[in-house]
Amino acid sequence: IPPSSPPNPSDPPHPAMSLSGKRTASFQDLAKGTVTAPEQRYQSVTGASTPQGAAPADDEKRNKLLAGLMSQYLSRDVLAIQKQIISHVEYTLARTRYNFDSFGAYQATAYAVRDRLIESWNDTQHYFTEKDVKRVYYLSLEFLMGRYLTNALMNIGVHSQFKEALDGIGFNLEAVASE
């Protein structure tokens, strides 16, 4: 990676850093209570984001490589789920088969589910960015904790596969989810 160089004053400012170096016009509008036209966004032919300053040829090559590497969803078959859980046990949790307990099974399963949720999240964010939709953010201080692991498994349609995968490696999904 080449060392970063100081910005060239003759380069045009990045759209997000326009208007006196502040973040964006929309943040300034918020403070003033006004609304201006939307700022220019980085547009990529492939829809992928690219580091600033990358050469167009490198940009296209990088985007094609990333699109190819990320073109498939994680497999939903039981063996692939077992491999992913065990992979998280070893590489994410840094545990061995000798200290793989029910809490480790919960953590590894949660990471495997999270990986699948991230795929959907990224696809949704990419779609919204391409369509340039308006977004509303809501923060509530009231929340009810529930059984998010089994809830997420049902929502993404892999509950039975995870149940079978965990049964195959000696754990019960309901017991793991209650950890």
Side-chain angles (χ1 to χ4, degrees), residues 71-132:
S71 64
Q72 294 182 342
Y73 287 109
L74 292 171
S75 180
R76 293 171 167 248
D77 68 276
V78 174
L79 182 60
I81 291 170
Q82 286 175 331
K83 286 180 180 180
Q84 190 180 21
I85 290 170
I86 299 304
S87 176
H88 278 297
V89 168
E90 186 171 5
Y91 299 110
T92 306
L93 304 176
R95 291 182 176 212
T96 66
R97 62 179 156 252
Y98 302 111
N99 65 350
F100 181 32
D101 57 3
S102 60
F103 184 64
Y106 166 75
Q107 288 180 309
T109 303
Y111 280 120
V113 172
R114 182 211 54 187
D115 293 346
R116 285 163 172 75
L117 290 170
I118 287 172
E119 287 178 331
S120 296
W121 174 263
N122 286 339
D123 287 349
T124 301
Q125 295 308 309
H126 180 77
Y127 175 81
F128 286 163
T129 300
E130 273 188 349
K131 299 297 181 187
D132 198 23

Side-chain angles (χ1 to χ4, degrees), residues 23-40:
R23 284 186 63 172
T24 61
S26 58
F27 282 105
Q28 292 179 22
D29 288 346
L30 209 63
K32 293 179 198 169
T34 60
V35 178
T36 58
E39 291 105 26
Q40 183 70 10

Side-chain angles (χ1 to χ4, degrees), residues 111-170:
Y111 280 120
V113 172
R114 182 211 54 187
D115 293 346
R116 285 163 172 75
L117 290 170
I118 287 172
E119 287 178 331
S120 296
W121 174 263
N122 286 339
D123 287 349
T124 301
Q125 295 308 309
H126 180 77
Y127 175 81
F128 286 163
T129 300
E130 273 188 349
K131 299 297 181 187
D132 198 23
V133 299
K134 291 184 180 185
R135 300 177 194 205
V136 175
Y137 296 93
Y138 173 75
L139 175 65
S140 174
L141 296 178
E142 297 177 37
F143 57 91
L144 178 62
M145 294 300 286
R147 295 182 61 172
Y148 285 120
L149 181 59
T150 53
N151 213 6
L153 287 170
M154 287 182 189
N155 287 337
I156 58 177
V158 291
H159 185 272
S160 61
Q161 293 96 322
F162 267 81
K163 182 178 182 350
E164 189 178 335
L166 284 168
D167 285 343
I169 55 177

